[in-house]
Amino acid sequence: MTIRVALVGLGVAAKSIWLPQLADHPAFALTAVVDPDHAARDGLDSGRLRVSSGIGALAPSEVDLAVVAAPNHLHCELACALLAKGIPAFVEKPLCLSTAEADRLRQAERDGGTVLLGGSAARYRADIRALYELAGRLGRIRHVDLGWVRAGGVPGGWFTQRGLSGGGALIDLGWHLLDTVSPLLGGSAVTQAAGTLSADFLDDERHRVTWRADLGGGTLGDVEDTARGFLVTEDGVSVSLRAGWASHEPVDTTTIRVEGSEGTATLSCTFGFSTDRVGGPVLTHHRGGKSERVPVAAEPIGAEYRRQLDLIPDRLADPACRGQAIQDAAWTVDAIERCYASAAV
């Protein structure tokens, strides 16, 4: 059965990721688009699509799934309204901006009797799946290093306005990093957190996004361009985190290092779509003083988004999936909240 989709929000993520991905996937048919901005809706085929300024026009008799790709501050509000209508919602990251919003979404999913899905794609990359498999041979996990540092890539627009984004590099890049590592930690709650924030590059035009013209402009903002944090879970696992929109590095690099009682795994790659990237991913297994490179399947940039779509039909049909997305998101946003709270002290 073809899944009828409404795309809510026609910004950067919608136009660069979800419009082309949905158009190319045989399991989905885009039937409606929603955005309050007339200019964003301009040029869409209103004869083929239901085009509207708000979600009030959407009904579960006509829409099987709503993909929410609006600015961050609208994610919770829109998802709750869609769930209340009985429409399943797939929400781009961050699924929520606080633990209070996580609680609202959890209740809305229960009351709506349908499913909420989260759109954080990094854990669906081929190299991350290879890392998960290798982590099963590392014994008890003791420590994880997470880092996603761009050479230059400070976005403009609402991304750098705290009231619209919820924060800077930590909520943006850090969400991907923490969401990726959370399956390795088994949901063990964070009990200690320390964080620092800085904005050394935010006002420097030389460090603005260069690979996407529609992300590079706009008023400079009031968020951090770099965040560093240290977490400890109730199981005694420590996690260090660095997320940076810009740096003094020559290329963008994502690094995840998992230290266990029986070995260590290190993945070096580049998340996202930046053109200032390292070569293909490198996954290495260290044990007993020896290092072995682990093969990783090659895939095009952005393949993780297609892989997410592949999984949605089964998740919509499986009642056991209800509650899973918000459980993961609640862990991630709690860690982020704790880092922000520590940095504000």
Side-chain angles (χ1 to χ4, degrees):
M1 182 183 73
T2 302
I3 296 171
R4 300 166 298 175
V5 179
L7 182 57
V8 181
L10 293 171
V12 173
K15 291 182 177 178
S16 64
I17 299 172
W18 298 116
L19 279 174
Q21 290 285 351
L22 289 166
D24 185 58
H25 201 294
F28 301 90
L30 184 65
T31 59
V33 292
V34 177
D35 197 292
D37 185 356
H38 176 77
R41 304 193 307 269
D42 191 38
L44 293 172
D45 184 359
S46 58
R48 184 177 61 89
L49 298 170
R50 176 189 288 270
V51 180
S52 59
S53 61
I55 63 172
L58 303 181
S61 60
E62 299 174 343
V63 174
D64 304 309
L65 175 70
V67 173
V68 177
N72 293 357
H73 73 293
L74 297 173
H75 287 185
C76 178
E77 174 188 342
L78 289 169
C80 285
L82 289 162
L83 294 168
K85 286 173 167 281
I87 298 174
F90 175 96
V91 183
E92 253 289 7
K93 71 86 190 168
L95 186 57
C96 52
L97 296 180
S98 66
T99 53
E101 286 193 352
D103 290 340
R104 285 182 58 197
L105 287 165
R106 185 180 291 107
Q107 190 62 49
E109 184 180 29
R110 290 172 181 164
D111 293 345
T114 187
V115 66
L116 173 66
L117 301 173
S120 188
R123 66 165 70 178
Y124 301 99
R125 292 169 54 101
D127 49 12
I128 292 298
R129 296 194 299 172
L131 175 65
Y132 289 161
E133 182 178 350
L134 178 55
R137 294 186 275 150
L138 300 180
R140 182 168 179 175
I141 294 176
R142 303 297 189 185
H143 176 76
V144 181
D145 281 318
L146 302 171
W148 183 358
V149 179
R150 290 176 177 165
V154 178
W158 62 262
F159 281 91
T160 55
Q161 307 300 311
R162 187 173 301 278
L164 303 179
S165 62
L170 179 56
I171 196 79
D172 183 25
L173 308 186
W175 185 285
H176 282 296
L177 293 170
L178 289 165
D179 179 77
T180 296
V181 77
S182 63
L184 298 176
L185 303 180
S188 179
V190 174
T191 57
Q192 301 177 55
T196 64
L197 308 175
S198 58
D200 299 327
F201 307 98
L202 195 68
D203 297 333
D204 189 338
E205 289 290 339
R206 295 172 299 176
H207 292 282
R208 303 307 292 272
V209 164
T210 59
W211 65 89
R212 286 291 303 275
D214 51 352
L215 281 177
T219 304
L220 299 183
D222 58 352
V223 298
E224 79 283 354
D225 59 50
T226 302
R228 299 170 181 86
F230 191 84
L231 312 170
V232 180
T233 74
E234 61 185 355
D235 289 342
V237 181
S238 55
V239 179
S240 63
L241 170 71
R242 182 184 176 194
W245 277 338
S247 68
H248 298 291
E249 301 297 324
V251 293
D252 297 7
T253 305
T254 306
T255 305
I256 301 177
R257 182 178 176 87
V258 183
E259 299 178 12
S261 59
E262 303 296 329
T264 298
T266 303
L267 173 64
S268 179
C269 60
T270 304
F271 283 3
F273 295 92
S274 169
T275 55
D276 297 324
R277 54 196 311 117
V278 298
V282 176
L283 178 61
T284 308
H285 184 197
H286 314 276
R287 176 178 168 84
K290 297 180 179 180
S291 296
E292 175 189 6
R293 184 164 172 175
V294 178
V296 176
E299 64 179 1
I301 296 172
E304 59 269 29
Y305 293 93
R306 171 66 178 233
R307 197 165 289 122
Q308 274 193 296
L309 289 181
D310 291 342
L311 297 171
I312 285 178
D314 286 343
R315 291 182 172 177
L316 290 177
D318 184 1
C321 286
R322 294 178 186 174
Q324 289 184 357
I326 196 59
Q327 179 177 327
D328 289 345
W331 185 93
T332 299
V333 79
D334 175 65
I336 289 173
E337 267 191 328
R338 288 171 179 268
C339 285
Y340 275 138
S342 170
V345 173

